[in-house]
Structures are given as structure tokens and as C-alpha cells.
Amino acid sequence: MRGKSSMGWFYGFKLHLIINDQGELLAVQLTPGDIDERKPVPQMTKNLWGKLVGDRGYLSQAPFEQHFA
């Protein structure tokens, strides 16, 4: 799969993981490389509670408002 991100063109997929403070996997999703990083977040976090920390690619105002409004 060929995709373009903010970092440029690449081939492959993106692996999205959510782990807890014990290192246990809570959610896993594999997406094509051209999918926005924020797209799988709502489905992956639907049944989770607590703090959610991610890298800059996962940040946007809409998810913040959805979870904390």
C-alpha cells in the first residue's frame, strides 16, 4: 500500500496500539498508510476510561472535545 503522510511518501501500513501502564495491549488496529492517524481513535477508545496519551499525529481539537466536553 502506497500512502502519503505529513512526512512524505511511503509504502506500507500503520499499526495503532493502545497499551495500559502495565504494558498490556488494550486495542490494536492496522490501517492502510494513507489513512489519517486520528480516524481509528474513536473506535479503539470506545470502551476505555482513564488518561489517553498519544503522539502528535493523534492530536486534534475534535477528539479532545468529544472525550472531555
Side-chain angles (χ1 to χ4, degrees):
M1 172 69 57
R2 182 174 184 212
K4 183 172 177 151
S5 72
S6 60
M7 301 299 289
W9 288 96
F10 65 94
Y11 292 91
F13 296 90
K14 294 178 185 173
L15 177 62
H16 308 273
L17 302 172
I18 298 178
I19 60 172
N20 64 14
D21 61 336
Q22 305 288 310
E24 300 166 327
L25 283 173
L26 302 178
V28 177
Q29 190 162 358
L30 187 66
T31 61
D34 60 347
I35 298 294
D36 187 327
E37 283 96 359
R38 296 168 289 192
K39 190 169 183 170
V41 173
Q43 179 66 31
M44 294 176 70
T45 59
K46 186 176 7 178
N47 296 316
L48 297 179
W49 55 271
K51 292 182 182 180
L52 183 62
V53 179
D55 71 11
R56 190 174 200 165
Y58 290 95
L59 297 176
S60 74
Q61 191 63 31
F64 176 82
E65 290 173 357
Q66 178 184 359
H67 290 288
F68 298 108

